[in-house]
Amino acid sequence: MTDTILVGIDGSPDSRRAVEYGITMAKKDKASLVLAFVIEWSEYSFNTPEENEQRHKRREEEIKTVKERVLDPMLESLAPEDIEMKGVVRHGQVAAALIQIAREQDANQIVVGRIGQKTISTVIFGSVVTKLIQLTHIPVTIVP
Amino acid sequence: MKKKSVVICSLVLLLFVLIPMAAFAQEPGGIDQAVNKIFGTALGPFVSFIFYSVTINGVSFPLIVAWLIICAIVLTFYMGFVQFTGIKHSIDLLRGVYSNPEDAGEVSHFQALATALSGTVGLGNIAGVAVAVSLGGPGATFWMIVAGLCGMAAKFTECTLGVKYREEFPDGHISGGPMYYLSKGLAEQGKPKLGRVLAIMFSVMCIFGSFGGGNMFQGNQAHQMIANTFGIFTETGWLFGIILAVIVGAVIIGGIKSIAKVTEKIVPLMAILYVGTALIILLANFSKIPWAFGVVMQGAFSPEAIGGGVVGVLIQGLKRAAFSNEAGVGSAAIAHSAVRTSEPLTEGYVALLEPFIDTVVICTMTALVIVITGAYANAEGLSGVALTASAFQSVFPWFGVVLAVAVLLFAFSTMISWSYYGLKSWTYLFGESKASELIFKLIFCIFVVIGCSASLGPVIDFSDAAIFAMSIANVLGLYLLMGSVKADMKDYQSRIASGEIKKYK
């Protein structure tokens, strides 16, 4: 069984470096790569009824945007690397969601950048890394 | 950019409509009296019909309250006391035990509950309880709790139906609520005409209810509270109304998320502050709690000086519980229908927590504070918000300010919720289009100003009546459709037991 490396991405240069590091490792270990994009979202926020009604539509739009703008171009640009690769988009708290995806994909290792693009929906910054370290069940590599 | 200019234009338009109207409302004999006259003469019979009361032991008992309570009791037995047997499952659902992680990003059970609660938690919990205790004595609290517990089964049934029969539109948005389950559910039973009539009846009453109890009453009370506490806007209710209408308009017409986001953060904070303060008062008087419960129990079964004896106490408790948690009215079913789930029962289970939180927890706390601080035995004859305020202020003198802000924010969030309930009924009657939605929303904002600028007794009576009138159609529908809910519930429970519905945590 081959190893699986999970790389958390958010479209920032830092996460690009994390992906490059992930590729180097994957080549060395003959591992497969999972690129995970987490859209920051809380199931405990308070919404107006109208927002609730629109939520399903928004969610699909958010996922589509992430796929079109970040994930698909990245997968495409990495296609020549000859590594087994797939992308996952998920809503949730970044650290918890990454670990959830790691469990589902049976990953042996998580790679993330240190600081990410700081927008409302896509945040992987300091505290996320700290949280990730506290929650993780597998080794985590942080690429500066 | 284009969207922004549209928003600004519509708000400016709103102002142009509001200002002359508000000025008119201030003139003696202006819109105020005209409206009073219309509501008083034309709709007076409607109000007295809805609140038709029988007199028991010298206390008048509106039959509509009995209509709601009997429905809640029947459903409690019919659903096999689901509010007690199912509450663990409700909490598991809230905790996300049964939520598939791949569906993350959809409306969560917690969010559905919070949204529906923001429509009911408010003046009923603060002022309504005080009314019950001042009129019915401490014992009214006991009957309020009993009614709240029974109401859980009614909420369970109506919210399950709301999701089961909702309408999904091609662009992904969802409309649901009693008007949809009445028309579709009864059509399935071969009674399409009856279903359609009940659905229209419900929608019309819901629109009136959203203008009245969900809007004018809220604005009116918020204005009074702010004016009394801070001494501002005392003579300029119309100005307060216009400001409030513009803010409401900015959220519901302009879709300005930031305002909604701010209230989303503050409203729960206020609720926590309110409940927290009540808890501190109760804990500080810990030794008096058994005594307070004793007073409540004694008052419930053998009241001394209250007019009407046990029946009088019972009626006050039942009345306030029904006003407060709206179980059987059908409003919450509209809010819950927006949730995307393949299992309608899950919304029923989550919704049954609403009367529990609203009536059994928050109302009971208010009542205990009023009893423990001795405020209920006040000599000044305080009632309503003033009684609650004096009870809290006897321990924390600054609480009046918090309460005023809380009432304002609760009123605002209730308005936002009811504008949605009204809108869904409006689009059910007049079709789903942007133009018809805008018309409704503009009318809604106009009613905010009317509610704040004048003391319209008959209008308030009418709006209460309209909210309760929603229950005539809705409760009939619940009786007719409860069989299918029970069958679905059995099926759902067996799939939970067999593990077909997976646990993820």
Side-chain angles (χ1 to χ4, degrees):
Chain A
M1 200 188 98
T2 57
D3 286 354
T4 305
I5 299 169
L6 179 78
V7 185
I9 60 166
D10 63 357
S12 70
D14 293 274
S15 76
R16 180 80 210 183
R17 281 203 297 282
V19 172
E20 278 157 14
Y21 183 80
I23 288 171
T24 323
M25 287 214 307
K27 278 184 178 158
K28 209 161 66 192
D29 303 347
K30 299 215 169 2
S32 67
L33 216 54
V34 176
L35 304 182
F37 191 114
V38 179
I39 301 168
E40 181 75 25
W41 173 81
S42 167
E43 64 191 291
Y44 296 113
S45 66
F46 289 78
N47 302 336
T48 62
E50 200 134 19
E51 281 176 298
N52 281 353
E53 185 192 298
Q54 301 293 332
R55 190 56 224 159
H56 178 64
K57 223 163 96 187
R58 294 266 174 286
R59 177 181 181 266
E60 311 243 291
E61 283 166 9
E62 283 163 8
I63 292 174
K64 197 167 151 240
T65 311
V66 165
K67 281 196 173 146
E68 278 174 4
R69 298 241 178 104
V70 184
L71 204 57
D72 290 347
M74 193 174 258
L75 286 173
E76 217 164 277
S77 73
L78 298 175
E81 298 284 356
D82 192 31
I83 298 170
E84 200 185 310
M85 230 182 305
K86 66 171 160 184
V88 178
V89 184
R90 180 71 54 84
H91 282 74
Q93 265 95 32
V94 179
L98 281 179
I99 284 163
Q100 173 81 42
I101 298 167
R103 282 186 200 277
E104 285 169 17
Q105 303 289 340
D106 224 353
N108 323 70
Q109 156 114 254
I110 300 175
V111 180
V112 289
R114 186 169 54 189
I115 305 164
Q117 183 180 302
K118 211 176 165 188
T119 63
I120 302 161
S121 55
T122 60
V123 192
I124 299 192
F125 52 84
S127 63
V128 171
V129 171
T130 323
K131 216 169 163 193
L132 194 59
I133 293 167
Q134 285 166 348
L135 293 172
T136 188
H137 58 294
I138 47 174
V140 173
T141 306
I142 291 131
V143 181
Chain B
M1 272 301 107
K2 194 172 164 241
K3 197 184 164 213
K4 223 174 209 170
S5 57
V6 170
V7 169
I8 292 166
C9 282
S10 53
L11 287 180
V12 169
L13 190 77
L14 180 62
L15 264 180
F16 274 115
V17 182
L18 293 179
I19 289 173
M21 201 197 66
F24 188 41
Q26 288 302 298
E27 280 168 30
I31 199 170
D32 186 348
Q33 283 187 8
V35 170
N36 270 348
K37 212 171 159 192
I38 295 167
F39 277 79
T41 52
L43 299 165
F46 167 74
V47 175
S48 28
F49 170 72
I50 296 298
F51 285 121
Y52 181 78
S53 303
V54 288
T55 309
I56 306 171
N57 280 20
V59 184
S60 79
F61 186 32
L63 287 181
I64 194 80
V65 174
W67 176 246
L68 281 171
I69 296 294
I70 290 168
C71 167
I73 293 170
V74 167
L75 287 171
T76 298
F77 280 96
Y78 190 74
M79 296 295 164
F81 294 90
V82 65
Q83 60 265 65
F84 304 116
T85 56
I87 199 152
K88 193 190 162 288
H89 186 64
S90 306
I91 291 164
D92 281 348
L93 283 169
L94 266 196
R95 285 173 50 225
V97 172
Y98 295 93
S99 311
N100 186 344
E102 285 184 21
D103 292 337
E106 299 284 2
V107 177
S108 67
H109 292 302
F110 177 86
Q111 286 167 332
L113 177 69
T115 305
L117 267 179
S118 75
T120 63
V121 171
L123 287 164
N125 307 73
I126 299 172
V129 177
V131 171
V133 174
S134 53
L135 292 180
T141 314
F142 176 82
W143 297 113
M144 214 170 59
I145 295 174
V146 171
L149 288 173
C150 293
M152 290 166 79
K155 277 261 163 129
F156 169 83
T157 313
E158 64 187 13
C159 291
T160 303
L161 286 169
V163 177
K164 188 177 175 186
Y165 291 107
R166 67 183 167 192
E167 191 93 22
E168 289 189 41
F169 293 89
D171 68 345
H173 91 275
I174 293 167
S175 285
M179 50 284 186
Y180 291 93
Y181 63 69
L182 288 168
S183 56
K184 284 181 172 177
L186 295 182
E188 270 179 18
Q189 296 186 353
K191 307 185 195 81
K193 272 201 188 125
L194 176 67
R196 182 88 183 133
V197 168
L198 289 179
I200 290 172
M201 203 170 128
F202 175 86
S203 301
V204 171
M205 288 311 144
C206 183
I207 291 168
F208 284 129
S210 80
F211 290 151
N215 179 343
M216 288 194 289
F217 176 69
Q218 304 291 333
N220 191 283
Q221 293 295 300
H223 170 241
Q224 277 186 16
M225 192 73 193
I226 293 293
N228 290 343
T229 311
F230 300 109
I232 48 173
F233 298 118
T234 42
E235 296 297 317
T236 47
W238 58 273
L239 185 62
F240 180 84
I242 286 180
I243 296 170
L244 195 58
V246 168
I247 301 173
V248 170
V251 174
I252 64 173
I253 299 171
I256 309 276
K257 292 271 167 57
S258 49
I259 299 172
K261 283 261 180 308
V262 171
T263 34
E264 278 158 27
K265 299 280 182 303
I266 302 176
V267 167
L269 193 79
M270 279 297 167
I272 291 166
L273 193 63
Y274 182 79
V275 172
T277 315
L279 265 181
I280 292 170
I281 295 175
L282 295 181
L283 286 178
N285 294 289
F286 189 72
S287 57
K288 277 167 103 178
I289 291 180
W291 167 83
F293 268 108
V295 171
V296 167
M297 293 305 283
Q298 200 208 347
F301 295 103
S302 50
E304 292 145 18
I306 303 298
V310 177
V311 182
V313 179
L314 181 95
I315 290 165
Q316 289 305 333
L318 298 186
K319 227 171 151 178
R320 288 301 138 190
F323 271 97
S324 171
N325 65 41
E326 290 168 16
V329 168
S331 48
I334 303 176
H336 276 278
S337 302
V339 177
R340 198 167 188 90
T341 172
S342 47
E343 299 289 349
L345 257 302
T346 58
E347 282 317 298
Y349 275 105
V350 171
L352 66 78
L353 291 170
E354 286 162 31
F356 184 79
I357 296 170
D358 182 280
T359 307
V360 180
V361 177
I362 304 185
C363 285
T364 305
M365 277 193 177
T366 308
L368 282 178
V369 168
I370 293 173
V371 173
I372 277 189
T373 56
Y376 75 97
N378 70 84
E380 307 100 77
L382 292 175
S383 181
V385 179
L387 177 59
T388 312
S390 92
F392 279 88
Q393 278 172 323
S394 69
V395 184
F396 297 111
W398 46 264
F399 199 74
V401 176
V402 176
L403 205 59
V405 177
V407 165
L408 178 64
L409 286 169
F410 286 153
F412 181 74
S413 70
T414 304
M415 280 179 179
I416 301 291
S417 295
W418 272 94
S419 78
Y420 181 79
Y421 302 157
L423 178 68
K424 287 289 119 178
S425 299
W426 181 274
T427 54
Y428 176 80
L429 291 177
F430 302 112
E432 305 250 348
S433 83
K434 285 275 168 269
S436 94
E437 286 188 9
L438 187 66
I439 293 170
F440 173 81
K441 287 169 177 176
L442 282 170
I443 300 173
F444 191 85
C445 290
I446 291 167
F447 273 95
V448 176
V449 183
I450 299 180
C452 293
S453 45
S455 59
L456 300 168
V459 178
I460 304 280
D461 284 348
F462 166 74
S463 48
D464 277 351
I467 287 187
F468 278 84
M470 288 162 69
S471 76
I472 296 178
N474 188 46
V475 166
L476 262 179
L478 293 183
Y479 285 134
L480 291 168
L481 294 165
M482 66 185 185
S484 79
V485 176
K486 191 175 186 178
D488 289 352
M489 183 177 78
K490 286 266 171 319
D491 173 55
Y492 178 81
Q493 282 168 343
S494 73
R495 280 181 298 138
I496 290 280
S498 71
E500 194 187 324
I501 296 174
K502 256 181 31 198
K503 279 192 181 187
Y504 291 92
K505 258 187 200 164

